[in-house]
Amino acid sequence: MRVDLQKAAPRRSLPLLERTTGSMAQPADPLHGPTSLAPALTLTPAGQIAPPPRRTLPQVPLIPRPVTPPIPPRSVRLSVTDRCDFACTYCRPSRHDGYAESRLVTDAFRTMLRALREAGVRRVRLTGGEPLIHPEIVDLVAFIASLGFDDVALTTNASQLSRLAAPLRDAGLQRLNISIDTLDPERFRAMTRGGDLAQVLRGIDAALRVGFAPIKLNTVVLRGENDDEIEKLTLWAWERRMVPRFLEVMPIAEGAKLAKDHLVTAAEMRERLAGHLVEEEAVVEPGLGPARYVRARRDPGLRVGFISGTSDTYCATCDRLRVSSTGVLRPCLATDDGVDASQEARAGDLAGILARLDEAWRLKPDGTIWKGCTEDTAAGVSMRAIGG
């Protein structure tokens, strides 16, 4: 019996991939992955058309990579610990979510930092968890300052800052970002699951006294939780010559459970502050992160910043690498991709770390296509473990 294969199985018009990793897109077979040829058809002994065998062609990676690796990282966020004395609702599921079993000790961090400096990194920001609960944080800051980085900064919840502001300043810390989501003590306690607002305010006062300026405040805005405090927080910060910054909740980790119902966009935040702001285009500080700033009407020396990680991502300009407290080099906040350099760090192997760094940076998603924390991979990332 002769079978007309053209009539039996007309060739399908297959959709092109929405994303490509090079200059050429391949057609996609929804059942068996990418291919450029129609499947060959065979007959069973009974004369029926047999289904095509499952192919083992390489699959297109889920995450798009640039054809040419990006320029080396210039900015690093180094998580010195995954431990934190707060458990903010958009960051952690509870106070009992567990911690990493093995973290780098200070000597290993020193090796890591020497390698990062040799690789061309110019800016270091220390994060956590909460970095100020690390018992050797002051010594670590002093070491970083001795290496000649252009910028040495730290992000903190300020719970330990009243006792550490002066030592950190003396050690060479240049800039401070402080997370504070509300000025209401009970609301603060609820959003942080037990945090003490008075303790945080004492820490801020101590930082101002020893000369940290300008201090930037980070507020994650949640609709129905603290969005009624945008103006209050702005004016409070300006009275102290600080820079308030308002962040969209991002659909990453615990934030993925909140973004749908609680997102307040940067555009809406700015509209709520319109009476206080100059009508001008928001601008970034070159080399200092994705925040966009607008000046105050009453004093051009005052500003407010907006970080739009959900409504308007900024992956195309990202030059940031993250180093977890366990020694994993991570090129993107929104994925669990990374390269473990902990053995090299513990062994004092600078050359090994440089090799791992190159390997990790080649995993950097293509920022012209990739949309950061709006990607599906983001929901599975631990914000505390990766260092925010």
Side-chain angles (χ1 to χ4, degrees), residues 357-381:
L357 175 60
D358 180 70
E359 185 181 344
W361 199 240
R362 290 176 182 274
L363 297 176
K364 188 82 169 170
D366 185 346
T368 64
I369 300 172
W370 186 248
K371 298 303 178 185
C373 294
T374 65
E375 300 285 352
D376 292 342
T377 56
V381 173

Side-chain angles (χ1 to χ4, degrees), residues 230-249:
I230 293 175
E231 182 180 36
K232 181 179 180 180
L233 279 160
T234 298
L235 298 178
W236 178 82
W238 283 350
E239 288 172 1
R240 293 157 179 79
R241 310 299 296 185
M242 296 187 292
V243 181
R245 308 198 309 174
F246 297 102
L247 289 70
E248 296 178 350
V249 60

Side-chain angles (χ1 to χ4, degrees), residues 85-88 95 157 159 184-200:
D85 50 347
F86 290 175
C88 297
R95 280 189 171 271
N157 63 26
S159 65
D184 179 274
E186 291 306 312
R187 182 180 285 181
F188 187 89
R189 188 176 301 278
M191 293 186 72
T192 59
R193 296 193 178 100
D196 181 356
L197 177 62
Q199 185 178 15
V200 168

Side-chain angles (χ1 to χ4, degrees), residues 80-81 83 103-104 106 130-140 163-164:
V80 297
T81 180
R83 296 179 180 273
R103 294 179 293 278
L104 296 186
T106 301
E130 170 46 48
L132 297 191
I133 65 176
H134 190 289
E136 297 179 87
I137 188 62
V138 174
D139 291 341
L140 193 55
R163 65 181 178 86
L164 289 173

Side-chain angles (χ1 to χ4, degrees), residues 317-344:
T317 57
C318 181
D319 67 349
R320 183 176 294 172
L321 176 79
R322 286 173 167 81
V323 181
S324 76
S325 62
T326 59
V328 177
L329 309 175
R330 309 181 81 141
C332 178
L333 174 64
T335 81
D336 269 328
D337 286 355
V339 175
D340 189 351
S342 60
Q343 289 186 352
E344 291 81 356

Side-chain angles (χ1 to χ4, degrees), residues 1 107 161 173 349 362:
M1 180 178 69
D107 283 347
L161 196 54
L173 185 66
D349 181 2
R362 290 176 182 274

Side-chain angles (χ1 to χ4, degrees), residues 126-197:
L126 298 177
T127 67
E130 170 46 48
L132 297 191
I133 65 176
H134 190 289
E136 297 179 87
I137 188 62
V138 174
D139 291 341
L140 193 55
V141 167
F143 176 75
I144 296 170
S146 74
L147 293 178
F149 288 99
D150 293 346
D151 184 46
V152 183
L154 183 146
T155 297
T156 175
N157 63 26
S159 65
Q160 310 301 312
L161 196 54
S162 61
R163 65 181 178 86
L164 289 173
L168 288 169
R169 183 74 170 165
D170 292 342
L173 185 66
Q174 297 170 348
R175 297 191 302 119
L176 268 178
N177 286 10
I178 297 174
S179 300
I180 181 168
D181 297 322
T182 174
L183 293 174
D184 179 274
E186 291 306 312
R187 182 180 285 181
F188 187 89
R189 188 176 301 278
M191 293 186 72
T192 59
R193 296 193 178 100
D196 181 356
L197 177 62

